[in-house]
Amino acid sequence: MDGIHDLGGVDGFGAVEPEPDEPVFHHSWEGRVFAMSMAMAASGAWNIDMGRFGIERLPPAVYISSSYYDKWRRRTELLLVERGLATEDEIASGQSYGPGQELKNGTFTADRVDRVLKRGSFTRAVDTEPRFQPGDRVRTRNMHPRSHTRLPRYVRGHVGVVERVHGANVFPDSVVRGEGENPQWLYTVRFDCRELWGDDAEPGTDVSVDAFEPYLEPA
């Protein structure tokens, strides 16, 4: 979707300055937020695409002023309320006012941690052939979806060259809309930076983006 979260290629936010020897967590509460997020994912209450969409829906002022794990916290609270797993009053007080609910995948126990933390495969078998092949020139659709998408705003409407065909994968846009996995062919597309940013681009540089077939058309 279009929103403040899609900051790729946007000027005016200053330089990216990596923190030397940055710790995994700056505060103990960040580790707890991470653990809660993993536990809810393991429960089957939502998946990675729904979780990303939850962060994307944060109000712009909240998003830009929140730290990385504060966004995760706010996302988790939003989805818990939307799915009826907690109320806003319960979250504010830190106390439950009713009986707990049975989760889709049951209780999350310590013996399941290794499996939950291991990223699963999103590749799926389909009975269609890829529309594009390496070397094909393609143009990304100039699209402005109101829901989740994995196509960065800064490449929309631009021409690139297919570098690689990855196979068919779960289509995040469909998952978030409640339309199922709807697997689509996935490609790596390379863009000349001058195509994206004109003469101000750094000479001789390219950007490669993984893009699903519905995002692309022949150039």
Side-chain angles (χ1 to χ4, degrees):
M1 60 183 292
D2 291 342
I4 190 63
H5 69 279
D6 192 356
L7 291 174
V10 177
D11 291 330
F13 286 87
V16 176
E17 299 179 356
E19 179 182 342
D21 301 319
E22 183 177 9
V24 176
F25 303 113
H26 290 81
H27 308 283
S28 60
W29 66 264
E30 294 179 333
R32 293 197 296 273
V33 167
F34 176 81
M36 286 188 289
S37 295
M38 294 299 101
M40 292 313 302
S43 77
W46 57 78
N47 60 29
I48 187 171
D49 300 312
M50 297 171 184
R52 285 170 172 160
F53 187 45
I55 292 178
E56 292 166 5
R57 287 183 288 149
L58 296 176
V62 172
Y63 183 94
I64 205 69
S65 62
S66 299
S67 66
Y68 182 79
Y69 282 109
D70 195 29
K71 294 183 180 75
W72 281 40
R73 175 186 67 83
R74 293 175 184 274
R75 176 271 312 278
T76 301
E77 292 176 353
L78 171 68
L79 295 181
L80 285 172
V81 172
E82 284 186 348
R83 283 155 175 74
L85 298 173
T87 66
E88 292 182 355
D89 288 342
E90 288 175 324
I91 291 173
S93 68
Q95 298 182 13
S96 175
Y97 297 143
Q101 298 186 37
E102 188 69 27
L103 296 172
K104 177 181 177 181
N105 294 340
T107 304
F108 180 47
T109 54
D111 62 308
R112 295 176 57 197
V113 171
D114 288 343
R115 183 179 65 81
V116 168
L117 292 180
K118 185 177 181 179
R119 178 68 63 87
S121 173
F122 293 91
T123 303
R124 299 291 186 269
V126 295
D127 56 7
T128 61
E129 295 296 321
R131 185 180 183 187
F132 306 107
Q133 294 296 329
D136 289 350
R137 284 170 51 84
V138 294
R139 183 184 300 276
T140 56
R141 294 178 57 200
N142 186 10
M143 53 188 283
H144 300 276
R146 299 179 65 86
S147 185
H148 179 67
T149 184
R150 299 297 289 165
L151 183 65
R153 189 166 50 211
Y154 69 90
V155 303
R156 297 178 196 171
H158 290 285
V159 174
V161 176
V162 174
E163 286 189 307
R164 182 178 178 185
V165 182
H166 291 280
N169 281 249
V170 174
F171 190 37
D173 307 45
S174 295
V175 170
V176 170
R177 293 195 299 263
E179 299 170 357
E181 292 189 342
N182 188 22
Q184 300 290 332
W185 288 96
L186 181 66
Y187 308 87
T188 295
V189 181
R190 185 181 73 254
F191 299 88
D192 186 314
C193 284
R194 292 172 300 178
E195 165 71 15
L196 302 179
W197 293 292
D199 293 339
D200 290 335
E202 183 179 348
T205 57
D206 298 325
V207 170
S208 293
V209 171
D210 286 344
F212 287 93
E213 192 166 280
Y215 302 160
L216 306 173
E217 57 190 13

